[in-house]
Amino acid sequence: MRTHCQNESRYTVITCVLIFLVSACDSKNTPPPSGSDASQDARLGSTDLGGTSDTSMPNSQDMGTFEVDAGEGLPVDIGVSRDVGERADMQGPPPMPGPLDLSAPCEEQPVAAPLESTSGVLGNGVGYLYIVPENAHSLLFAFHGGNGSKEDNFEQRVESVLVLKEAIERGYAVISLDSIKHSDPNAQNRQWNEQEPQENPDVQNVSTLIELFRGELGLVPADAPVVVVGFSNGGSMASRTAQMSVVSAAAIYISNAQYYSEANARIPPTVFLPGANDPGHALGSNQMYMTMIEESGRVAELYVNPAEPATLGIFTRAVGVNCETSKAIIGALIESGWMDELGNLLQDPKSSLQWSQNLPASVSERSVQSQLRDILIELNGGHSPSAQWNPQVFSFLETHR
């Protein structure tokens, strides 16, 4: 298990143990509420994280959001915090911050363009999408967030798309499937099933797909390693799927990894990636798991995604946004009081959609604003996965798969 303590920039983090012991343990490590992922998750658009109705938010089907993965049965005392690691490949101390120069050139970032995939349907009606690169060496399952869908991972959610795009480029065959509740027209939500793994229909669907891709279809080698990646509520699904001996490693984003808290749970090599400002308590539970894993001699890593100032090209991750538009978005956010002149967010972008007022007309479409919102939440270190940790995540998975 590796732990880290580095300086902070867009690519590195300044938070260290003593800072986390004061701030994270006091304010972020509030024990998760009792109850399951399904019963405790707060869906933006109807209820905010404090339980107060947020009438300013649109319907969640319009904008999309990761549902908070509340977990269950987690102890109150989380334990010591873990330091966090280098981000991307930048070294050395960060430059002194200064006001953003909106007239300066900017560097466009990787775009979260929809990934071209093939669709399939299991015998029980559950749909899945998959992408198999040439000479695929491993099979990677991606689990969507609460009330999300298979399309989130390949087409809609900025950070999820960028994570899986890199997985494919690195030779992973990637499968994104729906939870079984998608096949039930009467289901009240589309969360992942919470039954025990051995009788869990969602876990059984994964087992069926492993046999199909390794065997009948022959799309990956018969002995291809299997890794699981879960986002929010999908992280708890990943922890259940990890009870299968065939799963060699896991990456769990912004999630309490609910099943890992069960007695005698199987925990394969796992990398945890909570947000520093995520109200879903994933940071605290992930720190607890790190302590537990360390004491048992197993392998894990923890990378905490911090709040960081925007760069001029930050919004070019969204489809159709160029550098000039990205700078115009930043200018509008500064003018409206959502961002300071250094590029730091001053309010939580999940709290309302007021940040979207006065944005350029070219980004007025709801699909574009949904991607901008994903970017803002990640920038705030909130309830969003972060593709900025791809080098660390895939180094870990490739070491342990």
Side-chain angles (χ1 to χ4, degrees):
M1 176 172 59
R2 291 181 291 176
T3 56
H4 311 267
C5 187
Q6 301 290 342
N7 295 327
E8 179 177 357
S9 68
R10 179 63 194 158
Y11 300 99
T12 55
V13 185
I14 197 170
T15 44
C16 297
V17 173
L18 292 178
I19 297 174
F20 265 114
L21 286 173
V22 173
S23 61
C25 292
D26 285 348
S27 61
K28 305 299 180 192
N29 287 359
T30 303
S34 60
S36 66
D37 294 334
S39 64
Q40 294 294 332
D41 287 2
R43 183 70 172 170
L44 285 178
S46 58
T47 307
D48 71 11
L49 296 168
T52 305
S53 177
D54 183 1
T55 57
S56 65
M57 292 300 294
N59 184 291
S60 58
Q61 294 296 325
D62 293 334
M63 287 294 286
T65 183
F66 284 102
E67 189 166 325
V68 175
D69 176 48
E72 78 176 342
L74 297 177
V76 172
D77 289 326
I78 298 303
V80 298
S81 60
R82 288 286 180 264
D83 302 317
V84 292
E86 277 191 357
R87 193 165 176 164
D89 57 1
M90 296 190 68
Q91 302 288 335
M96 293 298 293
L100 290 171
D101 180 2
L102 298 182
S103 65
C106 82
E107 183 176 347
E108 293 189 355
Q109 299 191 12
V111 181
L115 304 175
E116 186 175 347
S117 62
T118 303
S119 63
V121 180
L122 294 172
N124 57 10
V126 170
Y128 61 95
L129 302 173
Y130 65 94
I131 301 174
V132 181
E134 187 176 358
N135 299 320
H137 54 70
S138 302
L139 191 55
L140 184 152
F141 285 89
F143 304 122
H144 60 71
N147 285 329
S149 70
K150 60 185 181 296
E151 288 81 13
D152 285 358
N153 296 331
F154 280 165
E155 302 172 11
Q156 297 172 359
R157 309 311 300 269
V158 170
E159 302 300 321
S160 302
V161 169
L162 293 175
V163 169
L164 298 181
K165 179 176 182 289
E166 179 147 348
I168 294 158
E169 291 171 350
R170 288 174 176 258
Y172 290 85
V174 179
I175 301 175
S176 178
L177 71 160
D178 281 333
S179 65
I180 197 165
K181 290 184 179 180
H182 280 264
S183 63
D184 179 2
N186 298 316
Q188 295 183 350
N189 64 62
R190 294 178 175 178
Q191 304 244 359
W192 296 96
N193 188 281
E194 296 183 5
Q195 291 177 262
E196 288 295 311
Q198 59 268 28
E199 56 192 37
N200 188 302
D202 282 323
V203 175
Q204 182 56 53
N205 284 341
V206 173
S207 179
T208 298
L209 286 166
I210 292 172
E211 294 178 4
L212 185 65
F213 275 64
R214 281 172 149 190
E216 181 180 337
L217 297 180
L219 294 175
V220 296
D223 60 351
V226 176
V227 300
V228 293
V229 174
F231 306 106
S232 190
N233 181 249
S236 283
M237 172 58 182
S239 72
R240 290 185 178 87
T241 308
Q243 304 313 298
M244 301 168 59
S245 60
V246 70
V247 174
S248 58
I252 294 180
Y253 293 81
I254 54 170
S255 173
N256 285 306
Q258 185 184 17
Y259 204 81
Y260 279 2
S261 67
E262 296 291 326
N264 301 315
R266 177 181 185 267
I267 304 180
T270 299
V271 55
F272 299 97
L273 299 106
N277 294 322
D278 183 1
H281 308 290
L283 174 59
S285 64
N286 292 177
Q287 290 171 330
M288 177 199 72
Y289 292 138
M290 291 295 290
T291 299
M292 180 176 66
I293 291 168
E294 180 181 38
E295 291 173 350
S296 66
R298 287 175 286 187
V299 178
E301 289 182 7
L302 170 67
Y303 295 100
V304 181
N305 191 48
E308 296 176 310
T311 60
L312 294 178
I314 187 67
F315 294 106
T316 62
R317 296 188 211 169
V319 176
V321 176
N322 60 23
C323 269
E324 291 306 309
T325 303
S326 180
K327 291 189 287 186
I329 294 170
I330 291 173
L333 291 171
I334 293 173
E335 184 176 353
S336 63
W338 278 84
M339 183 178 286
D340 67 20
E341 293 184 351
L342 301 178
N344 299 297
L345 284 171
L346 300 176
Q347 303 179 54
D348 181 358
K350 286 191 75 172
S351 63
S352 78
L353 273 179
Q354 293 180 0
W355 57 264
S356 64
Q357 298 176 2
N358 302 319
L359 293 184
S362 60
V363 296
S364 61
E365 291 186 10
R366 189 168 295 276
S367 60
V368 178
Q369 291 199 4
S370 178
Q371 289 203 320
L372 299 183
R373 183 169 179 265
D374 278 355
I375 294 168
L376 285 169
I377 294 171
E378 189 278 333
L379 194 64
N380 194 48
H383 195 67
S384 168
S386 176
Q388 298 295 330
W389 296 99
N390 280 356
Q392 290 85 351
V393 170
F394 288 103
S395 175
F396 181 89
L397 294 180
E398 287 160 11
T399 299
H400 300 289
R401 62 180 170 83

